[in-house]
Amino acid sequence: MEHTQPPDGSTDLGGKSRTGADSGRLVGSDRVLAVLKELARYPDGAGLEELTRVIGSPKPTVHRALGALRRAGLADRDEHGRYVLGDEFLRMAFAHHEARPEHVRLHPILETLAVRFGETAHYAVLDGREIVYRAKVDPPTGAFRLSSTVGGRNPAHATGVGKLLLAYALGSVEEVREWIGATELERRTARTRCDAAALYADLRAARARGYAFDDQENETGVNCLALPVYATSPTVPSGAVSVSALACRTSLAALTDALDEIRALLGPLGEPHR
């Protein structure tokens, strides 16, 4: 239900083209890292031809990069000859993820929220024009689950967590216009705020009330309520906790009615310290 960046070869994590001339100019370690980043988009593995086409570099170049990654344990080949992330990469990634203090401290809260609402709970941070999910807890077995994943991304302007964090980063409509820049914001649904003035009005309201929501702005049929988390700074949110729910099952009004309960669960992590 909730979208994350697909392996469509369109943009890299910084919004630049992953194909064509730009990636063709990659040299040395940059080329190896580009192959590693692309490989991470294919959990079921990718063939050499496929990676060569998407990355836009010569096949021998991509093959050498894959060889270097395999020697380091960062890539491997499955029984079908497709390249996958290696065990060493996964070991490092999970060790780093589990060591994140905010993840460790917030996971019990996310579990409680998922059980309480029967919906998906997230912890996400802002990264440029996108939010990145750092932690996720699905509802109990048998309930419908969203397809969001830890490490997955969504447009900041279309999500409750994104708008909440943007509210603390962008203080005026001029700053919102500068943040948008020359590239139009993606309209995920008919309700997505893509205009600078409309988006700023949402951000200003979110900061004033201390929470944000998206009312089916990222995906039709899914709404979200988000609250700030002060895990690493006493005054600036490090990220946001959200409950993402099917609108037909848990209304936005039901989520906002439980604000005090959610804030109580967050405790000191949900309050700025001045």
Side-chain angles (χ1 to χ4, degrees):
M1 290 291 296
E2 189 162 319
H3 296 298
T4 55
Q5 290 281 356
D8 57 4
S10 57
T11 58
D12 67 10
L13 302 186
K16 298 180 181 179
S17 171
R18 299 203 316 265
T19 60
D22 284 348
S23 54
R25 288 196 294 267
L26 293 171
V27 296
S29 60
D30 288 340
R31 184 181 297 126
V32 176
L33 292 174
V35 173
L36 178 63
K37 287 173 64 176
E38 192 60 46
L39 190 59
R41 299 174 188 271
Y42 296 85
D44 295 327
L48 178 58
E49 296 282 352
E50 189 174 15
L51 290 171
T52 298
R53 183 178 66 255
V54 175
I55 294 171
S57 289
K59 185 188 294 186
T61 297
V62 176
H63 189 261
R64 284 195 298 271
L66 287 166
L69 292 170
R70 292 183 69 191
R71 288 191 295 275
L74 302 180
D76 205 345
R77 293 183 74 183
D78 64 17
E79 64 273 17
H80 304 294
R82 295 173 66 81
Y83 291 91
V84 296
L85 290 176
D87 289 342
E88 178 63 13
F89 178 90
L90 297 175
R91 184 196 66 76
M92 291 190 299
F94 283 116
H96 181 67
H97 174 64
E98 291 297 329
R100 290 184 186 274
E102 65 266 34
H103 168 262
V104 173
R105 296 162 72 185
L106 287 166
H107 202 270
I109 297 173
L110 299 182
E111 289 182 329
T112 301
L113 290 173
V115 172
R116 160 67 176 82
F117 292 100
E119 304 288 358
T120 301
H122 296 103
Y123 174 66
V125 299
L126 184 65
D127 183 17
R129 294 167 68 94
E130 299 174 313
I131 56 97
V132 182
Y133 298 109
R134 288 276 175 83
K136 173 191 177 184
V137 174
D138 283 315
T141 302
F144 189 91
R145 301 181 181 188
L146 302 181
S147 61
S148 53
T149 60
V150 173
R153 292 171 174 260
N154 265 318
H157 70 283
T159 60
V161 288
K163 289 196 295 181
L164 179 66
L165 298 174
L166 287 175
Y168 289 85
L170 305 174
S172 68
V173 68
E174 289 78 16
E175 290 181 3
V176 173
R177 290 196 180 99
E178 183 177 351
W179 179 79
I180 294 174
T183 304
E184 292 185 2
L185 295 177
E186 179 184 0
R187 188 172 297 281
R188 300 296 289 261
T189 75
R191 301 187 181 191
T192 310
R193 274 50 160 186
C194 297
D195 173 75
L199 179 57
Y200 175 63
D202 264 14
L203 303 187
R204 184 174 56 184
R207 181 154 187 173
R209 65 181 172 239
Y211 68 90
F213 58 83
D214 82 72
D215 186 6
Q216 303 184 56
E217 297 160 43
N218 187 55
E219 184 171 1
T220 301
V222 178
N223 53 41
C224 171
L225 178 73
L227 284 80
V229 170
Y230 299 87
T232 59
S233 167
T235 57
V236 179
S238 60
V241 160
S242 71
V243 179
S244 299
L246 293 182
C248 63
R249 185 170 63 194
T250 304
S251 68
L252 194 54
L255 293 177
T256 55
D257 285 346
L259 270 171
D260 290 343
E261 184 180 351
I262 299 173
R263 285 178 172 141
L265 283 172
L266 287 172
L269 287 173
E271 300 175 359
H273 307 286
R274 303 188 184 279

PDB file of all heavy atoms in Angstrom, residues 195-215:
ATOM      1  N   ASP A 195       1.840  22.843  -4.327  1.00  0.00           N
ATOM      2  CA  ASP A 195       2.037  24.284  -4.425  1.00  0.00           C
ATOM      3  C   ASP A 195       2.730  24.789  -3.163  1.00  0.00           C
ATOM      4  O   ASP A 195       2.408  24.355  -2.048  1.00  0.00           O
ATOM      5  CB  ASP A 195       0.681  24.970  -4.599  1.00  0.00           C
ATOM      6  CG  ASP A 195       0.788  26.481  -4.536  1.00  0.00           C
ATOM      7  OD1 ASP A 195       1.260  27.081  -5.516  1.00  0.00           O
ATOM      8  OD2 ASP A 195       0.415  27.049  -3.478  1.00  0.00           O
ATOM      9  N   ALA A 196       3.676  25.708  -3.332  1.00  0.00           N
ATOM     10  CA  ALA A 196       4.465  26.195  -2.196  1.00  0.00           C
ATOM     11  C   ALA A 196       3.587  26.820  -1.120  1.00  0.00           C
ATOM     12  O   ALA A 196       3.775  26.560   0.077  1.00  0.00           O
ATOM     13  CB  ALA A 196       5.509  27.196  -2.670  1.00  0.00           C
ATOM     14  N   ALA A 197       2.622  27.628  -1.514  1.00  0.00           N
ATOM     15  CA  ALA A 197       1.771  28.298  -0.533  1.00  0.00           C
ATOM     16  C   ALA A 197       0.918  27.288   0.239  1.00  0.00           C
ATOM     17  O   ALA A 197       0.786  27.383   1.466  1.00  0.00           O
ATOM     18  CB  ALA A 197       0.883  29.323  -1.230  1.00  0.00           C
ATOM     19  N   ALA A 198       0.336  26.320  -0.472  1.00  0.00           N
ATOM     20  CA  ALA A 198      -0.495  25.317   0.186  1.00  0.00           C
ATOM     21  C   ALA A 198       0.332  24.436   1.110  1.00  0.00           C
ATOM     22  O   ALA A 198      -0.095  24.104   2.231  1.00  0.00           O
ATOM     23  CB  ALA A 198      -1.210  24.470  -0.864  1.00  0.00           C
ATOM     24  N   LEU A 199       1.525  24.067   0.652  1.00  0.00           N
ATOM     25  CA  LEU A 199       2.390  23.233   1.486  1.00  0.00           C
ATOM     26  C   LEU A 199       2.831  23.997   2.725  1.00  0.00           C
ATOM     27  O   LEU A 199       2.814  23.454   3.840  1.00  0.00           O
ATOM     28  CB  LEU A 199       3.609  22.769   0.682  1.00  0.00           C
ATOM     29  CG  LEU A 199       4.626  21.907   1.428  1.00  0.00           C
ATOM     30  CD1 LEU A 199       3.978  20.651   2.009  1.00  0.00           C
ATOM     31  CD2 LEU A 199       5.783  21.521   0.509  1.00  0.00           C
ATOM     32  N   TYR A 200       3.210  25.270   2.559  1.00  0.00           N
ATOM     33  CA  TYR A 200       3.647  26.060   3.706  1.00  0.00           C
ATOM     34  C   TYR A 200       2.526  26.217   4.724  1.00  0.00           C
ATOM     35  O   TYR A 200       2.776  26.168   5.942  1.00  0.00           O
ATOM     36  CB  TYR A 200       4.145  27.425   3.268  1.00  0.00           C
ATOM     37  CG  TYR A 200       4.502  28.311   4.444  1.00  0.00           C
ATOM     38  CD1 TYR A 200       5.533  27.960   5.314  1.00  0.00           C
ATOM     39  CD2 TYR A 200       3.776  29.475   4.716  1.00  0.00           C
ATOM     40  CE1 TYR A 200       5.849  28.746   6.416  1.00  0.00           C
ATOM     41  CE2 TYR A 200       4.083  30.262   5.809  1.00  0.00           C
ATOM     42  CZ  TYR A 200       5.118  29.896   6.655  1.00  0.00           C
ATOM     43  OH  TYR A 200       5.420  30.672   7.742  1.00  0.00           O
ATOM     44  N   ALA A 201       1.292  26.377   4.260  1.00  0.00           N
ATOM     45  CA  ALA A 201       0.168  26.492   5.191  1.00  0.00           C
ATOM     46  C   ALA A 201       0.055  25.233   6.048  1.00  0.00           C
ATOM     47  O   ALA A 201      -0.194  25.308   7.258  1.00  0.00           O
ATOM     48  CB  ALA A 201      -1.126  26.729   4.415  1.00  0.00           C
ATOM     49  N   ASP A 202       0.259  24.075   5.434  1.00  0.00           N
ATOM     50  CA  ASP A 202       0.244  22.824   6.188  1.00  0.00           C
ATOM     51  C   ASP A 202       1.397  22.756   7.185  1.00  0.00           C
ATOM     52  O   ASP A 202       1.230  22.319   8.327  1.00  0.00           O
ATOM     53  CB  ASP A 202       0.334  21.639   5.225  1.00  0.00           C
ATOM     54  CG  ASP A 202      -1.029  21.067   4.877  1.00  0.00           C
ATOM     55  OD1 ASP A 202      -2.035  21.736   5.165  1.00  0.00           O
ATOM     56  OD2 ASP A 202      -1.084  19.957   4.315  1.00  0.00           O
ATOM     57  N   LEU A 203       2.586  23.181   6.748  1.00  0.00           N
ATOM     58  CA  LEU A 203       3.758  23.125   7.620  1.00  0.00           C
ATOM     59  C   LEU A 203       3.596  24.050   8.819  1.00  0.00           C
ATOM     60  O   LEU A 203       3.922  23.676   9.961  1.00  0.00           O
ATOM     61  CB  LEU A 203       5.016  23.505   6.835  1.00  0.00           C
ATOM     62  CG  LEU A 203       5.352  22.674   5.586  1.00  0.00           C
ATOM     63  CD1 LEU A 203       6.708  23.073   5.042  1.00  0.00           C
ATOM     64  CD2 LEU A 203       5.320  21.185   5.900  1.00  0.00           C
ATOM     65  N   ARG A 204       3.108  25.245   8.570  1.00  0.00           N
ATOM     66  CA  ARG A 204       2.917  26.207   9.660  1.00  0.00           C
ATOM     67  C   ARG A 204       1.906  25.678  10.676  1.00  0.00           C
ATOM     68  O   ARG A 204       2.111  25.783  11.888  1.00  0.00           O
ATOM     69  CB  ARG A 204       2.453  27.548   9.086  1.00  0.00           C
ATOM     70  CG  ARG A 204       2.317  28.648  10.137  1.00  0.00           C
ATOM     71  CD  ARG A 204       2.011  29.976   9.485  1.00  0.00           C
ATOM     72  NE  ARG A 204       0.813  29.893   8.661  1.00  0.00           N
ATOM     73  CZ  ARG A 204       0.357  30.892   7.913  1.00  0.00           C
ATOM     74  NH1 ARG A 204       1.030  32.038   7.863  1.00  0.00           N
ATOM     75  NH2 ARG A 204      -0.745  30.753   7.208  1.00  0.00           N
ATOM     76  N   ALA A 205       0.814  25.096  10.175  1.00  0.00           N
ATOM     77  CA  ALA A 205      -0.196  24.544  11.074  1.00  0.00           C
ATOM     78  C   ALA A 205       0.363  23.358  11.865  1.00  0.00           C
ATOM     79  O   ALA A 205       0.082  23.203  13.058  1.00  0.00           O
ATOM     80  CB  ALA A 205      -1.419  24.115  10.273  1.00  0.00           C
ATOM     81  N   ALA A 206       1.172  22.520  11.205  1.00  0.00           N
ATOM     82  CA  ALA A 206       1.745  21.355  11.872  1.00  0.00           C
ATOM     83  C   ALA A 206       2.664  21.778  13.013  1.00  0.00           C
ATOM     84  O   ALA A 206       2.621  21.191  14.107  1.00  0.00           O
ATOM     85  CB  ALA A 206       2.510  20.505  10.863  1.00  0.00           C
ATOM     86  N   ARG A 207       3.490  22.775  12.776  1.00  0.00           N
ATOM     87  CA  ARG A 207       4.407  23.210  13.835  1.00  0.00           C
ATOM     88  C   ARG A 207       3.639  23.833  14.999  1.00  0.00           C
ATOM     89  O   ARG A 207       3.992  23.628  16.170  1.00  0.00           O
ATOM     90  CB  ARG A 207       5.430  24.187  13.277  1.00  0.00           C
ATOM     91  CG  ARG A 207       6.417  24.650  14.340  1.00  0.00           C
ATOM     92  CD  ARG A 207       7.733  25.072  13.773  1.00  0.00           C
ATOM     93  NE  ARG A 207       8.698  25.341  14.825  1.00  0.00           N
ATOM     94  CZ  ARG A 207       9.979  25.605  14.621  1.00  0.00           C
ATOM     95  NH1 ARG A 207      10.453  25.612  13.379  1.00  0.00           N
ATOM     96  NH2 ARG A 207      10.788  25.847  15.618  1.00  0.00           N
ATOM     97  N   ALA A 208       2.587  24.572  14.691  1.00  0.00           N
ATOM     98  CA  ALA A 208       1.821  25.227  15.743  1.00  0.00           C
ATOM     99  C   ALA A 208       1.113  24.223  16.643  1.00  0.00           C
ATOM    100  O   ALA A 208       1.046  24.411  17.874  1.00  0.00           O
ATOM    101  CB  ALA A 208       0.799  26.186  15.122  1.00  0.00           C
ATOM    102  N   ARG A 209       0.594  23.143  16.068  1.00  0.00           N
ATOM    103  CA  ARG A 209      -0.165  22.188  16.879  1.00  0.00           C
ATOM    104  C   ARG A 209       0.697  21.043  17.411  1.00  0.00           C
ATOM    105  O   ARG A 209       0.271  20.284  18.278  1.00  0.00           O
ATOM    106  CB  ARG A 209      -1.343  21.637  16.084  1.00  0.00           C
ATOM    107  CG  ARG A 209      -0.974  20.823  14.884  1.00  0.00           C
ATOM    108  CD  ARG A 209      -2.197  20.328  14.121  1.00  0.00           C
ATOM    109  NE  ARG A 209      -1.785  19.718  12.868  1.00  0.00           N
ATOM    110  CZ  ARG A 209      -2.175  20.118  11.667  1.00  0.00           C
ATOM    111  NH1 ARG A 209      -2.989  21.154  11.545  1.00  0.00           N
ATOM    112  NH2 ARG A 209      -1.761  19.511  10.580  1.00  0.00           N
ATOM    113  N   GLY A 210       1.922  20.879  16.856  1.00  0.00           N
ATOM    114  CA  GLY A 210       2.829  19.864  17.355  1.00  0.00           C
ATOM    115  C   GLY A 210       2.647  18.486  16.755  1.00  0.00           C
ATOM    116  O   GLY A 210       3.231  17.515  17.234  1.00  0.00           O
ATOM    117  N   TYR A 211       1.891  18.368  15.700  1.00  0.00           N
ATOM    118  CA  TYR A 211       1.759  17.105  14.979  1.00  0.00           C
ATOM    119  C   TYR A 211       1.340  17.405  13.543  1.00  0.00           C
ATOM    120  O   TYR A 211       0.917  18.518  13.219  1.00  0.00           O
ATOM    121  CB  TYR A 211       0.732  16.178  15.641  1.00  0.00           C
ATOM    122  CG  TYR A 211      -0.706  16.655  15.566  1.00  0.00           C
ATOM    123  CD1 TYR A 211      -1.528  16.303  14.493  1.00  0.00           C
ATOM    124  CD2 TYR A 211      -1.258  17.449  16.572  1.00  0.00           C
ATOM    125  CE1 TYR A 211      -2.847  16.736  14.415  1.00  0.00           C
ATOM    126  CE2 TYR A 211      -2.567  17.881  16.509  1.00  0.00           C
ATOM    127  CZ  TYR A 211      -3.361  17.529  15.428  1.00  0.00           C
ATOM    128  OH  TYR A 211      -4.653  17.959  15.360  1.00  0.00           O
ATOM    129  N   ALA A 212       1.496  16.411  12.691  1.00  0.00           N
ATOM    130  CA  ALA A 212       1.118  16.555  11.284  1.00  0.00           C
ATOM    131  C   ALA A 212       0.380  15.311  10.831  1.00  0.00           C
ATOM    132  O   ALA A 212       0.416  14.269  11.504  1.00  0.00           O
ATOM    133  CB  ALA A 212       2.356  16.786  10.405  1.00  0.00           C
ATOM    134  N   PHE A 213      -0.296  15.426   9.721  1.00  0.00           N
ATOM    135  CA  PHE A 213      -0.989  14.266   9.171  1.00  0.00           C
ATOM    136  C   PHE A 213      -0.984  14.372   7.653  1.00  0.00           C
ATOM    137  O   PHE A 213      -0.759  15.438   7.080  1.00  0.00           O
ATOM    138  CB  PHE A 213      -2.424  14.174   9.693  1.00  0.00           C
ATOM    139  CG  PHE A 213      -3.271  15.387   9.395  1.00  0.00           C
ATOM    140  CD1 PHE A 213      -3.899  15.548   8.170  1.00  0.00           C
ATOM    141  CD2 PHE A 213      -3.448  16.368  10.366  1.00  0.00           C
ATOM    142  CE1 PHE A 213      -4.680  16.652   7.900  1.00  0.00           C
ATOM    143  CE2 PHE A 213      -4.226  17.491  10.113  1.00  0.00           C
ATOM    144  CZ  PHE A 213      -4.844  17.631   8.875  1.00  0.00           C
ATOM    145  N   ASP A 214      -1.157  13.237   7.014  1.00  0.00           N
ATOM    146  CA  ASP A 214      -1.502  13.265   5.599  1.00  0.00           C
ATOM    147  C   ASP A 214      -2.821  12.539   5.435  1.00  0.00           C
ATOM    148  O   ASP A 214      -3.009  11.438   5.947  1.00  0.00           O
ATOM    149  CB  ASP A 214      -0.383  12.721   4.698  1.00  0.00           C
ATOM    150  CG  ASP A 214      -0.351  11.211   4.587  1.00  0.00           C
ATOM    151  OD1 ASP A 214      -1.241  10.638   3.936  1.00  0.00           O
ATOM    152  OD2 ASP A 214       0.585  10.608   5.136  1.00  0.00           O
ATOM    153  N   ASP A 215      -3.737  13.234   4.799  1.00  0.00           N
ATOM    154  CA  ASP A 215      -5.092  12.749   4.596  1.00  0.00           C
ATOM    155  C   ASP A 215      -5.187  12.169   3.189  1.00  0.00           C
ATOM    156  O   ASP A 215      -5.647  12.823   2.266  1.00  0.00           O
ATOM    157  CB  ASP A 215      -6.083  13.893   4.800  1.00  0.00           C
ATOM    158  CG  ASP A 215      -7.540  13.431   4.736  1.00  0.00           C
ATOM    159  OD1 ASP A 215      -7.766  12.204   4.655  1.00  0.00           O
ATOM    160  OD2 ASP A 215      -8.439  14.293   4.749  1.00  0.00           O
TER     161      ASP A 215
END
